[in-house]
Each structure stands twice: as structure tokens, then as C-alpha cells.
Short mmCIF file of all heavy atoms in Angstrom, two decimals:
data_model
loop_
_atom_site.label_atom_id
_atom_site.label_comp_id
_atom_site.label_asym_id
_atom_site.label_seq_id
_atom_site.Cartn_x
_atom_site.Cartn_y
_atom_site.Cartn_z
N THR A 154 0.77 -1.22 0.01
CA THR A 154 -0.04 0.00 -0.07
C THR A 154 0.97 1.22 0.00
O THR A 154 2.10 1.17 0.22
CB THR A 154 -0.98 0.03 1.27
OG1 THR A 154 -0.06 0.25 2.34
CG2 THR A 154 -1.74 -1.25 1.34
N LEU A 155 0.36 2.41 -0.28
CA LEU A 155 1.03 3.63 -0.21
C LEU A 155 1.56 3.80 1.18
O LEU A 155 2.60 4.35 1.44
CB LEU A 155 0.02 4.83 -0.62
CG LEU A 155 0.78 6.10 -0.55
CD1 LEU A 155 1.93 6.24 -1.51
CD2 LEU A 155 -0.29 7.27 -1.09
N LEU A 156 0.72 3.45 2.35
CA LEU A 156 1.26 3.52 3.64
C LEU A 156 2.54 2.66 3.77
O LEU A 156 3.46 3.15 4.48
CB LEU A 156 0.21 3.08 4.65
CG LEU A 156 0.62 3.04 6.09
CD1 LEU A 156 1.01 4.49 6.56
CD2 LEU A 156 -0.52 2.45 6.97
N ASP A 157 2.48 1.54 3.23
CA ASP A 157 3.77 0.68 3.29
C ASP A 157 4.97 1.39 2.69
O ASP A 157 6.09 1.41 3.27
CB ASP A 157 3.58 -0.55 2.64
CG ASP A 157 2.48 -1.47 3.27
OD1 ASP A 157 2.33 -1.41 4.46
OD2 ASP A 157 1.77 -2.17 2.53
N VAL A 158 4.83 2.07 1.64
CA VAL A 158 5.89 2.86 0.94
C VAL A 158 6.38 3.90 2.06
O VAL A 158 7.57 4.07 2.07
CB VAL A 158 5.44 3.36 -0.26
CG1 VAL A 158 6.48 4.41 -0.87
CG2 VAL A 158 5.03 2.35 -1.27
N VAL A 159 5.41 4.59 2.51
CA VAL A 159 5.92 5.68 3.47
C VAL A 159 6.71 5.11 4.66
O VAL A 159 7.72 5.62 4.95
CB VAL A 159 4.65 6.46 4.02
CG1 VAL A 159 4.96 7.36 5.30
CG2 VAL A 159 3.98 7.27 2.93
N VAL A 160 6.24 3.97 5.18
CA VAL A 160 6.88 3.37 6.33
C VAL A 160 8.19 2.80 5.83
O VAL A 160 9.24 2.98 6.49
CB VAL A 160 5.91 2.28 6.99
CG1 VAL A 160 6.80 1.54 8.05
CG2 VAL A 160 4.76 2.88 7.52
N GLU A 161 8.29 2.05 4.78
CA GLU A 161 9.52 1.36 4.43
C GLU A 161 10.56 2.37 4.03
O GLU A 161 11.85 2.12 4.24
CB GLU A 161 9.21 0.49 3.06
CG GLU A 161 8.42 -0.76 3.56
CD GLU A 161 7.95 -1.47 2.31
OE1 GLU A 161 8.42 -1.18 1.20
OE2 GLU A 161 7.02 -2.45 2.38
N HIS A 162 10.15 3.57 3.55
CA HIS A 162 11.21 4.58 3.12
C HIS A 162 11.44 5.59 4.27
O HIS A 162 12.17 6.58 4.04
CB HIS A 162 10.81 5.21 1.85
CG HIS A 162 10.84 4.34 0.80
ND1 HIS A 162 12.03 4.11 -0.01
CD2 HIS A 162 9.92 3.56 0.14
CE1 HIS A 162 11.80 3.08 -0.99
NE2 HIS A 162 10.54 2.75 -0.95
N ASP A 163 10.78 5.34 5.44
CA ASP A 163 10.89 6.24 6.60
C ASP A 163 10.73 7.70 6.25
O ASP A 163 11.42 8.50 6.68
CB ASP A 163 12.33 5.99 7.09
CG ASP A 163 12.49 6.50 8.56
OD1 ASP A 163 11.43 6.53 9.36
OD2 ASP A 163 13.61 6.82 9.10
N LEU A 164 9.69 7.90 5.48
CA LEU A 164 9.26 9.22 5.09
C LEU A 164 8.70 10.04 6.25
O LEU A 164 7.93 9.48 7.05
CB LEU A 164 8.25 9.28 3.92
CG LEU A 164 8.80 8.63 2.62
CD1 LEU A 164 7.75 8.61 1.56
CD2 LEU A 164 10.08 9.23 2.13
N ASP A 165 9.12 11.27 6.48
CA ASP A 165 8.67 12.05 7.62
C ASP A 165 7.45 12.73 7.35
O ASP A 165 7.44 13.99 6.92
CB ASP A 165 9.87 12.98 7.93
CG ASP A 165 9.61 13.79 9.29
OD1 ASP A 165 8.68 13.30 10.05
OD2 ASP A 165 10.21 14.81 9.46
N LEU A 166 6.32 12.07 7.47
CA LEU A 166 5.05 12.70 7.26
C LEU A 166 4.30 12.59 8.60
O LEU A 166 3.66 11.71 8.91
CB LEU A 166 4.21 11.93 6.22
CG LEU A 166 4.93 11.90 4.78
CD1 LEU A 166 4.00 10.93 3.87
CD2 LEU A 166 4.96 13.32 4.17
N ASP A 167 4.36 13.75 9.33
CA ASP A 167 3.90 13.76 10.68
C ASP A 167 2.43 13.22 10.87
O ASP A 167 1.46 13.74 10.29
CB ASP A 167 3.97 15.15 11.21
CG ASP A 167 3.86 15.22 12.73
OD1 ASP A 167 4.28 14.26 13.42
OD2 ASP A 167 3.33 16.26 13.29
N GLY A 168 2.27 12.16 11.61
CA GLY A 168 0.95 11.63 11.86
C GLY A 168 0.34 10.71 10.80
O GLY A 168 -0.74 10.19 10.96
N PHE A 169 1.06 10.60 9.73
CA PHE A 169 0.45 9.90 8.63
C PHE A 169 0.39 8.36 9.05
O PHE A 169 1.35 7.79 9.46
CB PHE A 169 1.37 9.85 7.37
CG PHE A 169 0.85 9.42 6.08
CD1 PHE A 169 0.00 10.17 5.18
CD2 PHE A 169 1.10 8.08 5.71
CE1 PHE A 169 -0.47 9.78 4.05
CE2 PHE A 169 0.57 7.52 4.51
CZ PHE A 169 -0.24 8.39 3.76
N GLY A 170 -0.85 7.84 8.84
CA GLY A 170 -0.99 6.37 9.08
C GLY A 170 -1.06 6.04 10.52
O GLY A 170 -0.51 4.95 10.97
N ALA A 171 -1.73 6.83 11.30
CA ALA A 171 -1.74 6.74 12.84
C ALA A 171 -2.35 5.28 13.21
O ALA A 171 -1.95 4.70 14.17
CB ALA A 171 -2.46 7.79 13.50
N CYS A 172 -3.34 4.87 12.46
CA CYS A 172 -4.00 3.55 12.91
C CYS A 172 -3.32 2.29 12.24
O CYS A 172 -3.72 1.21 12.31
CB CYS A 172 -5.42 3.58 12.58
SG CYS A 172 -5.82 3.36 10.90
N GLU A 173 -2.22 2.62 11.44
CA GLU A 173 -1.34 1.57 10.84
C GLU A 173 -2.30 0.73 9.86
O GLU A 173 -2.10 -0.50 9.66
CB GLU A 173 -0.83 0.67 11.78
CG GLU A 173 0.18 1.34 12.80
CD GLU A 173 0.76 0.47 13.79
OE1 GLU A 173 0.40 -0.60 14.01
OE2 GLU A 173 1.78 1.07 14.53
N GLY A 174 -3.24 1.44 9.14
CA GLY A 174 -3.87 0.88 8.09
C GLY A 174 -5.06 0.06 8.57
O GLY A 174 -5.69 -0.90 7.72
N THR A 175 -5.58 0.23 9.75
CA THR A 175 -6.75 -0.56 10.15
C THR A 175 -8.07 0.21 9.90
O THR A 175 -9.13 -0.14 10.54
CB THR A 175 -6.57 -0.81 11.70
OG1 THR A 175 -6.57 0.47 12.41
CG2 THR A 175 -5.45 -1.72 11.97
N LEU A 176 -8.05 1.10 9.16
CA LEU A 176 -9.26 2.02 8.75
C LEU A 176 -9.99 2.54 10.02
O LEU A 176 -11.13 2.50 10.30
CB LEU A 176 -10.27 1.11 7.98
CG LEU A 176 -9.86 0.92 6.53
CD1 LEU A 176 -10.80 -0.05 5.88
CD2 LEU A 176 -9.87 2.14 5.67
N ALA A 177 -9.11 3.23 10.87
CA ALA A 177 -9.77 3.94 12.04
C ALA A 177 -9.25 5.42 12.16
O ALA A 177 -9.54 5.93 13.36
CB ALA A 177 -9.25 3.09 13.14
N CYS A 178 -8.60 6.01 11.23
CA CYS A 178 -8.07 7.26 11.58
C CYS A 178 -8.24 8.44 10.42
O CYS A 178 -8.51 9.55 10.77
CB CYS A 178 -6.57 7.21 12.01
SG CYS A 178 -5.57 6.83 10.56
N CYS A 179 -8.06 8.14 9.24
CA CYS A 179 -8.17 9.22 8.08
C CYS A 179 -6.86 9.90 8.01
O CYS A 179 -6.75 10.90 7.18
CB CYS A 179 -9.24 10.21 8.31
SG CYS A 179 -10.78 9.75 7.57
N THR A 180 -5.82 9.70 8.85
CA THR A 180 -4.52 10.45 8.76
C THR A 180 -3.79 10.18 7.49
O THR A 180 -2.85 10.85 7.15
CB THR A 180 -3.66 10.27 9.93
OG1 THR A 180 -3.34 8.88 9.93
CG2 THR A 180 -4.25 10.62 11.28
N CYS A 181 -4.24 9.17 6.75
CA CYS A 181 -3.45 8.80 5.60
C CYS A 181 -4.16 9.28 4.28
O CYS A 181 -3.91 8.90 3.17
CB CYS A 181 -3.35 7.22 5.44
SG CYS A 181 -4.92 6.43 5.33
N HIS A 182 -5.17 10.29 4.50
CA HIS A 182 -5.84 10.80 3.40
C HIS A 182 -4.93 11.53 2.45
O HIS A 182 -4.09 12.28 2.82
CB HIS A 182 -6.85 11.87 3.95
CG HIS A 182 -7.61 12.60 3.00
ND1 HIS A 182 -7.89 14.04 2.95
CD2 HIS A 182 -8.14 12.27 1.79
CE1 HIS A 182 -8.53 14.41 1.94
NE2 HIS A 182 -8.64 13.38 1.18
N VAL A 183 -5.03 11.21 1.17
CA VAL A 183 -4.30 11.71 0.16
C VAL A 183 -5.28 12.18 -1.00
O VAL A 183 -6.31 11.64 -1.23
CB VAL A 183 -3.22 10.81 -0.48
CG1 VAL A 183 -2.17 10.47 0.56
CG2 VAL A 183 -3.89 9.52 -1.01
N ILE A 184 -4.87 13.16 -1.76
CA ILE A 184 -5.62 13.51 -2.97
C ILE A 184 -4.80 13.29 -4.20
O ILE A 184 -3.69 13.88 -4.38
CB ILE A 184 -6.02 15.02 -2.76
CG1 ILE A 184 -6.90 15.25 -1.55
CG2 ILE A 184 -6.85 15.53 -4.07
CD1 ILE A 184 -7.26 16.73 -1.28
N LEU A 185 -5.37 12.43 -4.98
CA LEU A 185 -4.65 11.96 -6.12
C LEU A 185 -4.93 12.90 -7.29
O LEU A 185 -5.69 13.75 -7.17
CB LEU A 185 -4.97 10.52 -6.46
CG LEU A 185 -4.67 9.50 -5.35
CD1 LEU A 185 -5.20 8.16 -5.84
CD2 LEU A 185 -3.22 9.41 -4.96
N ARG A 186 -4.11 12.69 -8.41
CA ARG A 186 -4.50 13.42 -9.61
C ARG A 186 -5.60 12.64 -10.46
O ARG A 186 -5.65 11.45 -10.37
CB ARG A 186 -3.29 13.52 -10.48
CG ARG A 186 -2.21 14.38 -9.82
CD ARG A 186 -1.10 14.52 -10.78
NE ARG A 186 -0.07 15.41 -10.04
CZ ARG A 186 1.11 15.53 -10.43
NH1 ARG A 186 1.59 15.00 -11.51
NH2 ARG A 186 1.97 16.28 -9.75
N LYS A 187 -6.36 13.41 -11.25
CA LYS A 187 -7.35 12.87 -12.09
C LYS A 187 -6.75 11.64 -12.89
O LYS A 187 -7.40 10.60 -13.14
CB LYS A 187 -7.99 13.88 -12.91
CG LYS A 187 -9.19 13.32 -13.86
CD LYS A 187 -9.68 14.44 -14.57
CE LYS A 187 -10.83 13.89 -15.55
NZ LYS A 187 -11.35 14.98 -16.41
N SER A 188 -5.59 11.87 -13.36
CA SER A 188 -4.95 10.85 -14.25
C SER A 188 -4.71 9.55 -13.61
O SER A 188 -4.73 8.50 -14.25
CB SER A 188 -3.59 11.42 -14.74
OG SER A 188 -2.69 11.72 -13.66
N HIS A 189 -4.63 9.63 -12.19
CA HIS A 189 -4.49 8.19 -11.53
C HIS A 189 -5.80 7.41 -11.58
O HIS A 189 -5.69 6.22 -11.74
CB HIS A 189 -4.18 8.53 -10.08
CG HIS A 189 -2.81 9.02 -9.91
ND1 HIS A 189 -2.63 10.22 -9.20
CD2 HIS A 189 -1.60 8.52 -10.16
CE1 HIS A 189 -1.30 10.41 -9.11
NE2 HIS A 189 -0.60 9.49 -9.73
N TYR A 190 -6.86 8.14 -11.71
CA TYR A 190 -8.17 7.44 -11.82
C TYR A 190 -8.51 7.02 -13.18
O TYR A 190 -9.19 6.05 -13.43
CB TYR A 190 -9.34 8.40 -11.30
CG TYR A 190 -9.40 8.46 -9.87
CD1 TYR A 190 -8.61 9.47 -9.18
CD2 TYR A 190 -10.02 7.65 -9.07
CE1 TYR A 190 -8.61 9.55 -7.86
CE2 TYR A 190 -10.05 7.70 -7.69
CZ TYR A 190 -9.39 8.65 -7.05
OH TYR A 190 -9.30 8.79 -5.75
N GLU A 191 -7.86 7.64 -14.20
CA GLU A 191 -8.06 7.32 -15.55
C GLU A 191 -7.33 5.95 -15.88
O GLU A 191 -7.62 5.26 -16.90
CB GLU A 191 -7.67 8.40 -16.51
CG GLU A 191 -8.54 9.59 -16.27
CD GLU A 191 -8.05 10.88 -16.99
OE1 GLU A 191 -6.84 10.87 -17.35
OE2 GLU A 191 -8.82 11.82 -17.02
N ARG A 192 -6.30 5.69 -15.14
CA ARG A 192 -5.51 4.44 -15.41
C ARG A 192 -6.10 3.37 -14.31
O ARG A 192 -5.35 3.04 -13.35
CB ARG A 192 -4.15 4.76 -15.12
CG ARG A 192 -3.59 5.69 -16.00
CD ARG A 192 -2.13 6.21 -15.73
NE ARG A 192 -1.17 5.01 -15.61
CZ ARG A 192 0.00 5.13 -15.31
NH1 ARG A 192 0.64 6.27 -15.07
NH2 ARG A 192 0.78 4.02 -15.24
N GLU A 193 -7.31 2.87 -14.56
CA GLU A 193 -7.89 1.99 -13.64
C GLU A 193 -7.04 0.70 -13.39
O GLU A 193 -7.10 0.14 -12.37
CB GLU A 193 -9.25 1.60 -14.09
CG GLU A 193 -10.21 2.73 -13.96
CD GLU A 193 -11.61 2.37 -14.46
OE1 GLU A 193 -11.89 1.20 -14.37
OE2 GLU A 193 -12.34 3.31 -14.90
N ASP A 194 -6.23 0.29 -14.33
CA ASP A 194 -5.46 -0.90 -14.18
C ASP A 194 -4.30 -0.64 -13.12
O ASP A 194 -3.71 -1.61 -12.66
CB ASP A 194 -4.84 -1.24 -15.44
CG ASP A 194 -3.93 -0.28 -16.08
OD1 ASP A 194 -4.24 1.03 -16.04
OD2 ASP A 194 -2.88 -0.66 -16.66
N LYS A 195 -4.08 0.56 -12.87
CA LYS A 195 -3.03 0.84 -11.86
C LYS A 195 -3.64 1.23 -10.45
O LYS A 195 -2.74 1.35 -9.54
CB LYS A 195 -2.11 2.15 -12.40
CG LYS A 195 -1.56 1.86 -13.67
CD LYS A 195 -0.39 0.85 -13.47
CE LYS A 195 0.28 0.76 -14.86
NZ LYS A 195 1.29 -0.40 -14.94
N LEU A 196 -4.76 1.41 -10.26
CA LEU A 196 -5.44 1.80 -9.03
C LEU A 196 -6.54 0.99 -8.64
O LEU A 196 -7.56 0.94 -9.33
CB LEU A 196 -5.85 3.29 -9.20
CG LEU A 196 -6.37 4.01 -7.96
CD1 LEU A 196 -5.20 4.18 -6.94
CD2 LEU A 196 -7.01 5.34 -8.32
N ASN A 197 -6.44 0.34 -7.40
CA ASN A 197 -7.55 -0.54 -6.97
C ASN A 197 -8.77 0.35 -6.53
O ASN A 197 -8.52 1.51 -6.03
CB ASN A 197 -7.15 -1.39 -5.85
CG ASN A 197 -6.68 -0.62 -4.65
OD1 ASN A 197 -5.78 0.25 -4.77
ND2 ASN A 197 -7.18 -0.92 -3.44
N PRO A 198 -9.96 -0.04 -6.80
CA PRO A 198 -11.05 0.76 -6.38
C PRO A 198 -11.21 0.83 -4.83
O PRO A 198 -10.80 0.04 -4.20
CB PRO A 198 -12.27 0.09 -7.06
CG PRO A 198 -11.86 -1.29 -7.24
CD PRO A 198 -10.35 -1.30 -7.33
N ALA A 199 -11.79 2.01 -4.38
CA ALA A 199 -11.99 2.14 -2.99
C ALA A 199 -13.04 1.15 -2.49
O ALA A 199 -14.20 1.07 -3.16
CB ALA A 199 -12.38 3.62 -2.62
N GLY A 200 -12.98 0.52 -1.36
CA GLY A 200 -13.85 -0.28 -0.71
C GLY A 200 -14.97 0.54 0.09
O GLY A 200 -14.88 1.71 0.31
N GLU A 201 -16.05 -0.16 0.48
CA GLU A 201 -17.14 0.55 1.15
C GLU A 201 -16.54 1.16 2.47
O GLU A 201 -16.98 2.36 2.91
CB GLU A 201 -18.19 -0.38 1.44
CG GLU A 201 -19.48 0.17 1.88
CD GLU A 201 -20.65 -0.62 1.81
OE1 GLU A 201 -20.85 -1.48 0.88
OE2 GLU A 201 -21.55 -0.63 2.74
N GLU A 202 -15.76 0.43 3.26
CA GLU A 202 -15.26 0.92 4.53
C GLU A 202 -14.45 2.16 4.34
O GLU A 202 -14.45 3.07 5.05
CB GLU A 202 -14.44 -0.10 5.21
CG GLU A 202 -15.24 -1.18 6.01
CD GLU A 202 -14.34 -2.20 6.56
OE1 GLU A 202 -13.89 -3.08 6.07
OE2 GLU A 202 -14.06 -1.93 7.92
N GLU A 203 -13.55 2.15 3.19
CA GLU A 203 -12.71 3.26 2.92
C GLU A 203 -13.52 4.45 2.54
O GLU A 203 -13.41 5.63 3.09
CB GLU A 203 -11.77 3.01 1.76
CG GLU A 203 -10.87 4.14 1.35
CD GLU A 203 -10.08 3.89 0.16
OE1 GLU A 203 -10.03 2.76 -0.31
OE2 GLU A 203 -9.33 4.80 -0.15
N LEU A 204 -14.54 4.36 1.73
CA LEU A 204 -15.42 5.47 1.38
C LEU A 204 -16.26 5.96 2.54
O LEU A 204 -16.38 7.21 2.67
CB LEU A 204 -16.58 5.01 0.38
CG LEU A 204 -15.89 4.60 -1.03
CD1 LEU A 204 -16.91 3.97 -1.88
CD2 LEU A 204 -15.15 5.78 -1.61
N ASP A 205 -16.71 5.12 3.50
CA ASP A 205 -17.28 5.53 4.76
C ASP A 205 -16.40 6.46 5.59
O ASP A 205 -16.73 7.50 6.07
CB ASP A 205 -17.78 4.42 5.64
CG ASP A 205 -19.01 3.77 5.02
OD1 ASP A 205 -19.62 4.23 4.07
OD2 ASP A 205 -19.34 2.57 5.45
N LEU A 206 -15.11 6.07 5.69
CA LEU A 206 -14.18 6.75 6.50
C LEU A 206 -13.78 8.04 5.81
O LEU A 206 -13.55 9.10 6.43
CB LEU A 206 -13.04 5.86 6.82
CG LEU A 206 -11.94 6.40 7.91
CD1 LEU A 206 -12.77 6.68 9.15
CD2 LEU A 206 -10.91 5.36 8.10
N LEU A 207 -13.71 7.96 4.49
CA LEU A 207 -13.30 9.24 3.77
C LEU A 207 -14.19 10.33 3.99
O LEU A 207 -13.94 11.42 3.94
CB LEU A 207 -13.20 8.86 2.28
CG LEU A 207 -11.90 8.45 1.71
CD1 LEU A 207 -11.98 8.01 0.23
CD2 LEU A 207 -10.78 9.53 1.84
N ASP A 208 -15.49 9.98 4.22
CA ASP A 208 -16.46 11.09 4.51
C ASP A 208 -16.06 11.92 5.72
O ASP A 208 -16.54 13.04 5.77
CB ASP A 208 -17.89 10.45 4.80
CG ASP A 208 -18.51 9.91 3.55
OD1 ASP A 208 -18.20 10.37 2.44
OD2 ASP A 208 -19.46 9.10 3.80
N MET A 209 -15.19 11.55 6.51
CA MET A 209 -14.77 12.42 7.67
C MET A 209 -13.43 13.00 7.40
O MET A 209 -12.92 13.68 8.28
CB MET A 209 -14.63 11.33 8.93
CG MET A 209 -15.89 10.89 9.43
SD MET A 209 -15.76 9.93 10.92
CE MET A 209 -15.51 8.26 10.28
N ALA A 210 -12.89 12.76 6.24
CA ALA A 210 -11.58 13.29 5.93
C ALA A 210 -11.66 14.89 5.65
O ALA A 210 -12.63 15.25 4.92
CB ALA A 210 -10.92 12.67 4.71
N PRO A 211 -10.81 15.67 6.13
CA PRO A 211 -10.84 17.11 5.93
C PRO A 211 -10.48 17.27 4.35
O PRO A 211 -9.59 16.62 3.76
CB PRO A 211 -9.69 17.68 6.75
CG PRO A 211 -8.85 16.51 7.10
CD PRO A 211 -9.64 15.33 7.06
N GLU A 212 -11.11 18.41 3.76
CA GLU A 212 -10.71 18.83 2.35
C GLU A 212 -10.98 17.60 1.42
O GLU A 212 -10.32 17.40 0.47
CB GLU A 212 -9.44 19.33 2.32
CG GLU A 212 -9.23 20.50 3.18
CD GLU A 212 -7.78 21.05 3.06
OE1 GLU A 212 -7.21 21.15 1.89
OE2 GLU A 212 -7.25 21.45 3.99
N LEU A 213 -11.97 16.78 1.74
CA LEU A 213 -12.46 15.65 0.83
C LEU A 213 -12.79 16.10 -0.52
O LEU A 213 -13.47 17.16 -0.77
CB LEU A 213 -13.59 14.96 1.47
CG LEU A 213 -14.26 13.78 0.65
CD1 LEU A 213 -13.32 12.65 0.77
CD2 LEU A 213 -15.58 13.47 1.27
N ASN A 214 -12.20 15.48 -1.57
CA ASN A 214 -12.72 15.79 -2.94
C ASN A 214 -12.86 14.59 -3.74
O ASN A 214 -12.71 13.44 -3.19
CB ASN A 214 -11.91 16.86 -3.56
CG ASN A 214 -10.51 16.41 -4.10
OD1 ASN A 214 -10.46 15.24 -4.40
ND2 ASN A 214 -9.62 17.27 -4.15
N ASP A 215 -13.27 14.62 -4.96
CA ASP A 215 -13.63 13.49 -5.81
C ASP A 215 -12.37 12.63 -6.11
O ASP A 215 -12.48 11.48 -6.46
CB ASP A 215 -14.08 14.00 -7.16
CG ASP A 215 -15.48 14.55 -7.12
OD1 ASP A 215 -16.12 14.37 -6.07
OD2 ASP A 215 -15.80 15.23 -8.06
N TYR A 216 -11.11 13.15 -5.75
CA TYR A 216 -9.94 12.36 -5.98
C TYR A 216 -9.25 11.88 -4.64
O TYR A 216 -8.09 11.57 -4.59
CB TYR A 216 -8.85 13.13 -6.87
CG TYR A 216 -9.54 13.64 -8.10
CD1 TYR A 216 -9.90 14.97 -8.36
CD2 TYR A 216 -10.02 12.72 -9.06
CE1 TYR A 216 -10.54 15.34 -9.49
CE2 TYR A 216 -10.57 13.05 -10.24
CZ TYR A 216 -10.83 14.49 -10.45
OH TYR A 216 -11.45 14.85 -11.60
N SER A 217 -10.01 12.02 -3.64
CA SER A 217 -9.51 11.59 -2.27
C SER A 217 -9.34 10.02 -2.13
O SER A 217 -10.36 9.28 -2.68
CB SER A 217 -10.41 12.06 -1.19
OG SER A 217 -10.31 13.48 -1.07
N ARG A 218 -8.43 9.55 -1.56
CA ARG A 218 -8.31 8.18 -1.12
C ARG A 218 -7.53 8.03 0.23
O ARG A 218 -7.05 9.03 0.69
CB ARG A 218 -7.45 7.38 -2.13
CG ARG A 218 -7.99 7.20 -3.53
CD ARG A 218 -9.21 6.25 -3.53
NE ARG A 218 -8.97 4.94 -2.86
CZ ARG A 218 -8.55 3.83 -3.64
NH1 ARG A 218 -8.40 3.87 -4.88
NH2 ARG A 218 -8.36 2.72 -2.96
N LEU A 219 -7.61 6.91 0.80
CA LEU A 219 -6.83 6.65 2.04
C LEU A 219 -5.61 5.96 1.59
O LEU A 219 -5.62 4.82 0.97
CB LEU A 219 -7.65 5.84 2.99
CG LEU A 219 -8.89 6.56 3.60
CD1 LEU A 219 -9.60 5.59 4.57
CD2 LEU A 219 -8.36 7.84 4.32
N GLY A 220 -4.44 6.47 1.90
CA GLY A 220 -3.16 5.84 1.42
C GLY A 220 -2.93 4.44 1.85
O GLY A 220 -2.32 3.69 1.21
N CYS A 221 -3.64 4.01 2.97
CA CYS A 221 -3.47 2.69 3.51
C CYS A 221 -4.23 1.64 2.70
O CYS A 221 -4.09 0.47 2.91
CB CYS A 221 -3.70 2.56 5.00
SG CYS A 221 -5.46 2.79 5.30
N GLN A 222 -5.02 2.19 1.67
CA GLN A 222 -5.86 1.22 1.00
C GLN A 222 -5.52 1.27 -0.48
O GLN A 222 -6.06 0.52 -1.29
CB GLN A 222 -7.34 1.67 1.17
CG GLN A 222 -7.88 1.68 2.59
CD GLN A 222 -7.81 0.22 3.27
OE1 GLN A 222 -8.30 -0.65 2.65
NE2 GLN A 222 -7.00 0.22 4.48
N ILE A 223 -4.59 2.05 -0.84
CA ILE A 223 -4.18 2.16 -2.16
C ILE A 223 -2.98 1.06 -2.49
O ILE A 223 -2.06 1.06 -1.80
CB ILE A 223 -3.69 3.59 -2.53
CG1 ILE A 223 -4.69 4.59 -2.42
CG2 ILE A 223 -3.02 3.65 -3.97
CD1 ILE A 223 -4.15 6.01 -2.52
N LYS A 224 -3.37 0.23 -3.41
CA LYS A 224 -2.36 -0.88 -3.79
C LYS A 224 -1.83 -0.80 -5.03
O LYS A 224 -2.35 -0.20 -5.91
CB LYS A 224 -3.09 -2.17 -3.49
CG LYS A 224 -3.59 -2.46 -2.17
CD LYS A 224 -4.44 -3.74 -2.16
CE LYS A 224 -4.88 -3.99 -0.62
NZ LYS A 224 -5.81 -4.97 -0.56
FE1 FES B 15 -5.61 4.89 9.42
FE2 FES B 15 -5.30 4.72 6.79
S1 FES B 15 -3.76 4.66 8.35
S2 FES B 15 -7.17 4.83 7.93
#
């Protein structure tokens, strides 16, 4: 997942992935580019639990995802 990449590369993103991918926080909220969605073979679709949690994300938009769910 994108969260795994952040952890594996020890990227300094304060608070990112607080729940370690258990779909309990929204701190891994990212806004992708439209082009990422146009390449469906490269982006797994958001699941129902992810979409429910995204509703609580600040600055939510049509290109929002949770980084811990992007494979
Ligand atoms: Fe908590 Fe993604 S790390 S929802």
C-alpha cells in the first residue's frame, strides 16, 4: 500500500498512518490526480469501509483516497 511505502522509506510525514492501516483514523488521506483514476489498471477501487471513513476526511474531494488502502 501507499502507507507501506511511506513506512518502508521512513518518510517524515507527521501523523500519517496513525492507525497503521486498520481504517480507524483518516490520517493517511491523500488527494490523487485525475490521471491516476483514468488508469484503472493501476489503481484498485475504494472499498465501502474506505469510502465511509473518507466522509470524515478534511478537504475531501472527488480524488481523495486513504493511502493505506491504495495498492
Ligand atoms: Fe488509518 Fe489509513 S492509516 S485509515
Side-chain angles (χ1 to χ4, degrees):
T154 68
L155 182 59
L156 176 59
D157 294 328
V158 173
V159 169
V160 171
E161 287 170 16
H162 293 275
D163 200 23
L164 300 178
D165 187 17
L166 300 175
D167 194 31
F169 189 90
C172 78
E173 300 179 351
T175 60
L176 284 172
C178 71
C179 268
T180 61
C181 63
H182 175 220
V183 294
I184 298 173
L185 304 176
R186 294 182 180 171
K187 183 180 179 184
S188 60
H189 291 120
Y190 285 88
E191 293 168 346
R192 298 173 55 182
E193 289 181 26
D194 60 320
K195 301 290 183 189
L196 186 65
N197 64 305
E201 195 167 319
E202 280 184 273
E203 178 183 356
L204 293 173
D205 287 347
L206 192 56
L207 269 172
D208 285 339
M209 294 186 270
E212 300 181 42
L213 176 71
N214 76 24
D215 289 344
Y216 305 110
S217 290
R218 289 291 307 265
L219 294 178
C221 68
Q222 302 301 305
I223 299 172
K224 298 177 182 168

